[in-house]
Amino acid sequence: MKKIFKVVLTSLVALGAWSCSMDLREPGSIDTENALSSMNDAQKLRSGRYIDFRSRVGGDWVQNSEIQSDLFHPTTNYGNNWGSFFRWEFTANEGAVTNVWNYDYSAIANVNFFIEKIQTMMQNPSEEFSEEDLQTLELYLGECYFFRAYYHYDLAMRFCAQYDEGTAASELGIPYMEVYVPTSDRNTYPSRGTLEETYSKINADLQLAEDMITIDGSGTYSMYLNADIVDAFRARVFLNMGRYSDVINYAQPLISKYTLVSTADEFQAMWAEDSGVECLMMMDASNQSNNGATSMDISYMSYNSNDRAYEPFFLPEQGIVDIINEYSGDYRASQFLTYGDVTCNGVTAPVYMFSKFPGNPALFPDGMELPQSNYLHKNKPFRIAEVYLNLAEAYAQSNNTADATSTLNTLRAHRIPGFNMSTSYPDVMSEIKDERVRELIGEGFRIYDLKRWGDPVARTSIQEGSDALMYSHSSINETFPAGNFRFVWPIPQAELDANPNFDGQQNPGY
C-alpha cells in the first residue's frame, strides 16, 4: 500500500509517537498530495489552527498551573482533581504533564504541515490562485509562525528553567520543530538544545509573524490574529526574558489604542456577556458546537441544579480574597468573588467563591437559566489590562518608577471608583505583583509570574469559616521556595523512553 502521511486535526502526537504506523488514512484526514489545492482547502486548514489555539488558551490548559500556585485551596469535593499539582507531587508519568507536551507538539506538527503546503503553493502557484489569494496565503503563513512560536513558548514556560541571559546558553531548552517530518527513525529525533536557542527561534518566528500579519487592530477585538496581538505577545515574551526596553517598545503604543472600561456594568459585561471590550483577541464560541467548558468555573463554582447548591472543587485562599477586596468598590471584587453558601459533602457554610468566568447566558442551551451554567464563554487570550501590567513591570524593573506608577494608577483608576491618580508607592513592584493577582487570577499567569520574579509559592490560610469545607493536607499552608525543582515540569517519561537523543536530558529532581 502506498504510504500516505496524514494530519488529523485532533490527534495526540508526541515527538516519539511519530514512529506509529501511518499506512491507513482515516476518514476526514488530509493527505500531503491534496491538502492545499484551493483557497477552500487553505481556509479549512486555517480553521483547524484556530481550533487548536482556542483549546490551549483556557479551561484545563490553565487550570493545572493555577492550582500549582498560591491562589486556591481544594474542598472536600475536589476528588483529587489536579491534586498532584496542588501537592507538588507530579512526576514524569503524570498524565496532565504528558498531555500538555503531546498536545502542544501535535499542534506544532499541524502548523508545520500547513507552513509546508503554503510555501510550496506560493513558490509554484497554480492557476487556481489569484494574486489576492497569494497575499491571503502569506497572512495565513504569518499566523502559522505566530502559533508555532506560541506553542513552543508554552512548552518552554512549563518545561524549562526561567530565562536568564547569563545562563540561557547552558540551560536546556525544548526541541524547536520547524518542519513536518513524521518518521519512525528514532535516531533522527531531536535533542533539547539550549534555552537560548529556543527563545531565539521563538523570536525569529514572531518576527516573521510581525512582518506578515500587518492588519491593524484598530482598538477593537478580533477573533483572528492581527498586528496588535502579535505586539502584545511579543511584549509578554520579552518580559519573561527580562528585555524591558523591548517590552516598552511593543506595549506602550497599544495602551493608547485600547480603551479601559469606565463603569461596573461595562466590566461585568466583559466577563459575563463577552462584550469584547478591553480585548485585543476574543475567540469564537457557540452553544451549537461541541465546545466543552471554556472556563474552569465548572470547578470553582460547580452549581448542582438537583441540590440547588454550589459544590466547588476549589476556593480562593484567604490571602487572595484579602488582596482582591483591598479597595472598596473595586469592580474585580464584585465580579471575581461571589459570597454565598457552599456545600461540601453535606456541610454548608458561607464563603467566597471564584466567579470570574460564570459562562455567557447567550451560549447556554435552551432552557438553562442562571445560576445553572455550562461555563462556556469566549476565551480572551490577550487583553489590554495585561499589556498595562507588563508595561508597568518593565518600567519598574528599569528603575523608572514614575512611569511604572503612572501606568499602574491608570489601570487602577478604571477599576476602583474614585481612585486617587496621585497615589505614590514606596515599592511599586510590590503593588504591581498584587495588581496582577487582582486582574489576572484564573487566566494561567500566576505560577509563571512567581517563577519570573524568583518568589516562592507561599500559601496563606484557608478562608475564615471554611474549615469544615476544606480538604486537609500539609500542602494547604505549605511554602515552596523559589528554586524548588517543580517550578519546572518533568519531561514526560514516555518521551524519554522513545527518544534516544534525550538521554541524560531530564530536568533536575525527577
Side-chain angles (χ1 to χ4, degrees):
M1 176 184 296
K2 180 180 180 181
K3 179 166 284 191
I4 302 175
F5 293 118
K6 65 181 186 292
V7 177
V8 181
L9 297 182
T10 58
S11 63
L12 290 174
V13 184
L15 290 173
W18 287 346
S19 62
C20 297
S21 171
M22 290 184 273
D23 288 331
L24 299 177
R25 185 153 51 93
E26 300 174 8
S29 63
I30 304 169
D31 67 74
T32 57
E33 295 178 3
N34 303 304
L36 184 52
S37 57
S38 69
M39 284 305 294
N40 185 52
D41 293 338
Q43 289 159 4
K44 288 180 180 178
L45 286 167
R46 183 200 194 203
S47 294
R49 305 296 65 75
Y50 276 93
I51 291 170
D52 283 347
F53 185 64
R54 182 176 63 191
S55 72
R56 288 157 179 80
V57 293
D60 187 58
W61 216 253
V62 302
Q63 182 85 356
N64 42 35
S65 59
E66 292 292 86
I67 298 305
Q68 187 185 351
S69 73
D70 55 358
L71 299 174
F72 302 100
H73 291 319
T75 70
T76 56
N77 288 338
Y78 97 120
N80 202 37
N81 285 285
W82 304 281
S84 63
F85 290 95
F86 176 77
R87 296 189 302 272
W88 284 55
E89 294 175 351
F90 51 86
T91 69
N93 289 310
E94 176 72 39
V97 170
T98 300
N99 285 344
V100 168
W101 181 275
N102 287 354
Y103 273 103
D104 268 349
Y105 276 114
S106 173
I108 291 165
N110 290 334
V111 165
N112 284 335
F113 179 88
F114 195 16
I115 289 174
E116 176 187 310
K117 296 299 109 181
I118 294 174
Q119 289 175 333
T120 299
M121 187 55 63
M122 292 180 70
Q123 290 165 5
N124 187 26
S126 71
E127 294 180 358
E128 296 289 328
F129 292 84
S130 67
E131 185 63 33
E132 182 179 354
D133 290 339
L134 295 176
Q135 292 176 0
T136 300
L137 285 178
E138 184 176 66
L139 169 64
Y140 294 177
L141 186 60
E143 292 176 337
C144 285
Y145 288 126
F146 178 94
F147 290 140
R148 189 165 74 183
Y150 186 94
Y151 299 133
H152 282 103
Y153 178 75
D154 183 61
L155 288 161
M157 292 293 284
R158 299 172 193 264
F159 294 97
C160 298
Q162 174 59 36
Y163 187 91
D164 181 283
E165 186 176 1
T167 60
S170 58
E171 293 282 2
L172 286 171
I174 43 95
Y176 205 95
M177 305 306 298
E178 297 176 281
V179 290
Y180 177 70
V181 284
T183 178
S184 59
D185 184 357
R186 297 172 73 241
N187 292 320
T188 66
Y189 293 169
S191 66
R192 292 183 60 179
T194 70
L195 191 59
E196 182 178 64
E197 291 168 344
T198 296
Y199 273 86
S200 176
K201 291 180 178 181
I202 288 170
N203 282 314
D205 272 348
L206 287 177
Q207 186 59 59
L208 289 170
E210 184 178 334
D211 294 340
M212 296 178 185
I213 303 174
T214 57
I215 299 171
D216 183 33
S218 302
T220 58
Y221 82 88
S222 172
M223 294 189 299
Y224 300 99
L225 296 173
N226 59 38
D228 291 351
I229 296 166
V230 175
D231 287 352
F233 185 52
R234 299 212 72 177
R236 184 188 296 179
V237 172
F238 284 134
L239 182 67
N240 191 59
M241 296 180 71
R243 289 174 52 172
Y244 303 121
S245 62
D246 289 315
V247 177
I248 294 166
N249 289 337
Y250 278 97
Q252 203 282 329
L254 293 175
I255 66 172
S256 62
K257 295 179 65 174
Y258 291 82
T259 304
L260 292 165
V261 299
S262 300
T263 69
D265 288 344
E266 289 177 314
F267 190 78
Q268 189 270 346
M270 173 168 53
W271 294 105
E273 301 170 20
D274 293 327
S275 68
V277 66
E278 291 195 9
C279 296
L280 284 75
M281 188 178 201
M282 187 167 71
M283 309 297 292
D284 192 23
S286 167
N287 65 359
Q288 301 302 313
S289 71
N290 293 321
N291 293 340
T294 48
S295 82
M296 293 315 297
D297 270 13
I298 193 170
S299 61
Y300 294 136
M301 297 186 74
S302 191
Y303 182 76
N304 186 324
S305 58
N306 292 326
D307 296 339
R308 297 185 180 181
Y310 290 103
E311 301 175 350
F313 294 174
F314 297 94
L315 295 172
E317 64 178 34
Q318 186 61 51
I320 298 302
V321 170
D322 292 342
I323 289 174
I324 296 174
N325 279 333
E326 180 175 350
Y327 293 100
S328 176
D330 193 323
Y331 300 153
R332 294 163 298 193
S334 57
Q335 179 62 38
F336 298 169
L337 297 177
T338 295
Y339 190 77
D341 285 342
V342 162
T343 300
C344 297
N345 287 317
V347 178
T348 300
V351 290
Y352 284 102
M353 291 173 285
F354 181 58
S355 54
K356 187 174 190 175
F357 314 106
N360 181 351
L363 301 176
F364 292 176
D366 293 342
M368 181 178 284
E369 297 181 2
L370 291 170
Q372 288 178 280
S373 179
N374 62 354
Y375 304 99
L376 182 64
H377 71 103
K378 298 180 179 181
N379 284 337
K380 305 164 184 65
F382 295 98
R383 300 192 296 114
I384 196 60
E386 184 216 343
V387 178
Y388 269 87
L389 291 166
N390 292 345
L391 180 61
E393 183 172 337
Y395 282 137
Q397 298 285 25
S398 303
N399 296 316
N400 183 347
T401 56
D403 283 337
T405 298
S406 175
T407 304
L408 177 62
N409 283 347
T410 298
L411 177 61
R412 285 183 169 176
H414 286 83
R415 297 292 188 255
I416 306 162
F419 182 80
N420 186 351
M421 280 290 291
S422 64
T423 301
S424 61
Y425 309 99
D427 185 350
V428 68
M429 191 63 214
S430 176
E431 296 293 327
I432 291 168
K433 291 179 179 182
D434 282 353
E435 201 67 18
R436 288 186 72 91
V437 171
R438 297 185 188 98
E439 188 65 41
L440 302 177
I441 182 173
E443 297 183 56
F445 290 96
R446 181 60 173 172
I447 194 70
Y448 309 118
D449 286 348
L450 295 171
K451 184 177 174 182
R452 179 175 72 254
W453 299 327
D455 287 352
V457 168
R459 294 179 175 140
T460 62
S461 62
I462 61 175
Q463 280 188 53
E464 297 173 6
S466 69
D467 305 59
L469 306 176
M470 304 309 294
Y471 167 75
S472 178
H473 190 276
S474 61
S475 298
I476 288 286
N477 296 318
E478 190 166 352
T479 292
F480 300 96
N484 183 292
F485 71 92
R486 281 196 171 92
F487 271 99
V488 180
W489 288 8
I491 303 299
Q493 187 60 48
E495 193 62 38
L496 295 173
D497 294 341
N499 188 346
N501 294 313
F502 272 23
D503 287 349
Q505 294 190 342
Q506 177 60 284
N507 288 323
Y510 295 101

